Amino acid sequence: MPAGVFKETYRADMAHLRYPIHWAGLVLGAGLALTAPLFLRGYYLDQAILFMIFLIAAVGLNITLGLAGLISLAHAALMGAGAYTVAMLALKAGFNSVLAIPLAGITAAGLGFILSLPSFKLKGYYLAMASLAAQFILEYFYSLLAPEQYITVPFETKEIAGIFFGEGVPLYYLALAITLVLLLAAGNLARSSLGRAMKAVRDNDVAAEIVGINVTRTKALAFTIGGFYAGVAGGLYALYSAGIGWEGFTLLVSIELLGMVLIGGPGRVVWGSMLGVLVLKTGWTNLESSLNPLLTGMGLDIIASTAKYIVLGTLIAVFIILEPEGLIAVLRRVKEYLRLWPYSY
Amino acid sequence: MDPMLLLESTVRGVIIGLTYAMIALGFNIVYRVNKSINFAHPVIVLMAAYVALVASYRYNPLLAYLLAVLAGVAASIAIERLVARPLLGRPPVALIGATLGIYYLIKGVTITIGGAETASLPIAYKLYNLGPITLGLNDIVSGLGSLLVLALVILLHMKTRLGSAMRAVAEDVEGAAAYGIPVRRLMSFSWALAGLIGALGGLFLAVKNQVSVELEFYAIRALAASLLAGLDSIGGVIVGGIVLGIAEEVGGLLLDDYLPGIGYDMAFFILLLVLFVKPYGLFGTERIERV
């Protein structure tokens, strides 16, 4: 805590913006986010949009996994539910894709609720296996939905009032608005009674029940809210991509999302997820796209295609073993070190 | 439905089921000592197959198979020492996440070395007509081999002093340690045994089908056999594996017209069904652990 800042009320202690650095961060961050399309174009703007899509999904998983401690290996399948909802509504009913995004969230939330049913009876590994089975079963049904691999979301359904939301600047601002609303909601959720109930269930469910928390309801809500976030992310993904296929929502994506949460900081819903997505999605994609031509040039294209597995796997395992609180804890230590520097104690 | 077709599917189901049972046993052996599922087990199956393939280009087949098994054992021991042991006492999500990480790490290394190609191991292919059923030599080798391995491991558990010690550790770690049983070493041994079984499972699968990246999915589906039997049961996996094998083959045969390709996903329906109805499986110990 910086010197010279005094908090006299509980309200001030609970505020989102407590220190001057928070205000500075807000002004800088909001400024950057709002003006990004001015200096990011084409590929990089797409990267920013993908970052937000995966951020929403990771925040959802962080609520289920980080806050409530419920393991879900089916998060990518829930994203798929959102994406296919948008695609099918657009394709079969001509429904507007942008307006279908809330419906995508609701569909995935419903699926999330169904996924929560095993958690009433099961814990730990058994729950992980239930979600693993759900992931594969949903993948199977998605492959039935689109036997010719890809569903193209009709372009004309991506338009509202003449503005095409399928790409570029309009999509960026749409995604930004949705992301901001959902992040604010998630940040507040973590501090609300529900969020605390989730943490209590995570840390000790018996004790949580004894102090009067409805464990079943909390678990169901954790899965449902996590599913809603995944569904919205999937809906945005359907809007963003030209065609969606079940390959976009495989177990690998689920594990990538799990990695984002575990590496970023489980339980730190907003900032932890953001760090995780920044490293595993944006960071990795850019590293890959700059390294791959090099590796292919050296005749090592097999490494270029497997490096993702190796790096992702190693990062996840190393972080879990050595730094279970994730990057956010590393960041905190760096911050502490700098704050005390050069008098380290 | 042609009854002969049904019979043939059933026989095929039993044969693949035995291999499933064997791979499932690898999950169970680890679960018994660590009370955790080793999600890296499927990749050991995959790795062994590719090691055998790559080694068979250079050495004679038997040496290649031996190398594959050694690689499986070594990888399994390494996972125990470097991942599972530091994570003892941490919540389940830690071990699930870490073993999944190792899964992808080894998968990446395997594909780098083996190239994600599909190829056959060098064994003789021959067809036998047993009455109305045609079976290949590869089917027979993998079925009988799996049965033999299963029998040996079950005998090890039931009849030897080592097996009693392993059962003691599975029952109660502190109690076993109090009686002077070397718990740590037995944990390592259990993981090594699981690696051995997984690697052999990979070889049998590779012999039966082909070496391909699909093999890992067989191992993931074997989880259903493991759970159906009960995660801490040993002999039960035979029932679990055979039920899974038959469900895949016969279910695929009966339902394929309506739901194409459903056979391979039967495992996950079984998994969900078991989890909802009887999470501790048919032969597992029921733990009194209320949520």
Side-chain angles (χ1 to χ4, degrees):
Chain A
M1 194 199 296
V5 178
F6 303 106
K7 286 178 295 197
E8 289 154 352
T9 57
Y10 186 62
R11 198 175 189 59
D13 197 35
M14 285 299 293
H16 272 296
L17 302 165
R18 291 185 296 276
Y19 308 126
I21 190 158
H22 289 153
W23 284 100
L26 176 73
V27 170
L28 206 68
L32 264 179
L34 285 175
T35 55
L38 293 180
F39 50 87
L40 289 179
R41 292 198 197 285
Y43 174 73
Y44 291 101
L45 196 62
D46 282 354
Q47 288 280 303
I49 294 166
L50 264 184
F51 169 74
M52 288 190 281
I53 291 172
F54 276 87
L55 177 59
I56 295 172
V59 166
L61 184 59
N62 213 334
I63 290 172
T64 313
L65 176 83
L67 278 187
L70 301 164
I71 302 156
S72 167
L73 298 175
H75 214 66
L78 292 179
M79 260 182 97
Y84 276 100
T85 306
V86 168
M88 284 324 223
L89 278 176
L91 208 62
K92 298 272 170 3
F95 205 84
N96 190 292
S97 303
V98 180
L99 300 179
I101 288 178
L103 294 177
I106 291 168
T107 313
L111 266 178
F113 175 72
I114 296 172
L115 275 181
S116 79
L117 296 178
S119 75
F120 301 161
K121 260 172 84 178
L122 307 169
K123 283 210 288 204
Y125 300 100
Y126 290 95
L127 185 58
M129 284 207 282
S131 62
L132 186 75
Q135 164 77 36
F136 277 105
I137 289 173
L138 286 172
E139 255 178 54
Y140 171 71
F141 282 120
Y142 298 154
S143 73
L144 283 190
L145 272 180
E148 66 283 345
Q149 303 273 324
Y150 279 96
I151 295 184
T152 325
V153 185
F155 271 36
E156 61 275 13
T157 66
K158 293 183 180 176
E159 244 178 48
I160 287 186
I163 305 172
F164 181 63
F165 279 100
E167 61 179 10
V169 180
L171 179 59
Y172 175 83
Y173 281 116
L174 177 71
L176 184 65
I178 295 176
T179 311
L180 285 181
V181 171
L182 289 182
L183 285 194
L184 197 62
N188 277 326
L189 173 80
R191 297 137 34 97
S192 70
S193 65
L194 180 60
R196 286 163 191 212
M198 285 178 187
K199 284 183 191 164
V201 170
R202 171 193 71 191
D203 292 337
N204 189 332
D205 47 2
V206 178
E209 195 162 15
I210 290 169
V211 297
I213 290 167
N214 187 339
V215 174
T216 314
R217 178 173 160 272
T218 310
K219 285 181 171 175
L221 275 173
F223 263 109
T224 312
I225 296 171
F228 181 79
Y229 277 73
V232 171
L236 272 176
Y237 189 77
L239 201 59
Y240 160 81
S241 55
I244 56 169
W246 63 272
E247 286 100 338
F249 311 106
T250 53
L251 182 66
L252 176 62
V253 182
S254 274
I255 290 169
E256 246 179 278
L257 284 167
L258 190 76
M260 288 171 194
V261 170
L262 292 176
I263 289 173
R268 298 296 304 273
V269 174
V270 176
W271 299 111
S273 312
M274 205 178 273
L275 277 176
V277 180
L278 210 56
V279 170
L280 273 193
K281 193 74 199 175
T282 313
W284 175 247
T285 313
N286 284 309
L287 192 71
E288 206 179 21
S289 60
S290 54
L291 273 184
N292 272 6
L294 212 71
L295 285 171
T296 320
M298 286 156 66
L300 295 170
D301 33 347
I302 187 82
I303 293 185
S305 67
T306 55
K308 176 168 196 170
Y309 290 123
I310 298 176
V311 172
L312 174 69
T314 316
L315 272 180
I316 293 179
V318 166
F319 264 93
I320 290 174
I321 296 167
L322 299 180
E323 191 50 81
E325 282 175 62
L327 270 177
I328 198 122
V330 178
L331 207 66
R332 192 173 53 224
R333 276 206 301 277
V334 171
K335 228 163 62 186
E336 273 309 282
Y337 177 82
L338 289 179
R339 192 169 73 81
L340 298 173
W341 189 85
Y343 309 108
S344 53
Y345 45 101
Chain B
M1 182 53 61
D2 182 7
M4 275 300 117
L5 213 55
L6 207 61
L7 180 68
E8 186 169 344
S9 295
T10 311
V11 172
R12 287 189 181 286
V14 171
I15 289 174
I16 185 74
L18 288 171
T19 310
Y20 276 137
M22 201 177 124
I23 297 169
L25 193 56
F27 285 114
N28 283 17
I29 287 174
V30 168
Y31 185 83
R32 283 166 66 88
V33 293
N34 259 56
K35 301 288 170 277
S36 70
I37 293 171
N38 173 14
F39 278 99
H41 191 56
V43 83
I44 288 181
V45 172
L46 182 73
M47 187 189 69
Y50 271 101
V51 169
L53 179 69
V54 172
S56 72
Y57 292 151
R58 204 164 300 167
Y59 309 112
N60 87 35
L62 279 180
L63 184 61
Y65 296 156
L66 188 68
L67 278 177
V69 170
L70 285 180
V73 173
S76 206
I77 292 176
I79 296 170
E80 200 267 340
R81 289 309 295 252
L82 300 177
V83 178
R85 197 171 289 182
L87 291 178
L88 274 181
R90 292 264 297 275
V93 64
L95 207 96
I96 292 174
T99 48
L100 281 172
I102 297 298
Y103 182 127
Y104 277 96
L105 168 63
I106 298 183
K107 182 176 172 181
V109 173
T110 304
I111 297 177
T112 309
I113 295 168
E117 56 188 313
T118 305
S120 299
L121 286 178
I123 66 153
Y125 281 96
K126 229 193 252 176
L127 287 180
Y128 294 96
N129 289 313
L130 307 168
I133 300 162
T134 310
L135 286 178
L137 179 63
N138 51 345
D139 294 325
I140 297 169
V141 167
S142 74
L144 289 183
S146 304
L147 196 61
L148 181 70
V149 174
L150 279 167
L152 286 178
V153 176
I154 292 169
L155 276 181
L156 172 76
H157 265 86
M158 296 304 156
K159 296 289 176 203
T160 62
R161 281 171 62 89
L162 184 62
S164 326
M166 283 171 75
R167 279 185 294 151
V169 173
E171 196 71 34
D172 179 358
V173 175
E174 278 97 17
Y179 274 91
I181 293 172
V183 172
R184 290 266 151 111
R185 237 185 299 156
L186 276 173
M187 280 188 179
S188 277
F189 176 75
S190 295
W191 279 74
L193 187 62
L196 175 83
I197 300 173
L200 284 173
L203 291 182
F204 287 140
L205 280 177
V207 165
K208 184 169 161 26
N209 302 320
Q210 269 185 321
V211 182
S212 72
V213 278
E214 292 293 303
L215 290 187
E216 60 173 339
F217 292 113
Y218 281 90
I220 293 178
R221 291 200 296 269
L223 260 177
S226 176
L227 199 69
L228 181 61
L231 276 174
D232 55 0
S233 102
I234 289 287
V237 289
I238 299 183
V239 178
I242 290 178
V243 169
L244 173 63
I246 293 178
E248 268 189 6
E249 292 287 335
V250 177
L253 182 72
L254 297 179
L255 297 174
D256 212 45
D257 293 342
Y258 316 104
L259 296 163
I262 186 75
Y264 284 151
D265 282 278
M266 289 304 269
F268 302 112
F269 288 102
I270 295 178
L271 245 176
L272 276 190
L273 189 74
V274 174
L275 283 171
F276 272 111
V277 178
K278 205 170 182 319
Y280 299 109
L282 295 175
F283 307 101
T285 333
E286 293 217 14
R287 266 164 225 293
I288 302 166
E289 180 185 32
R290 243 190 54 73
V291 171

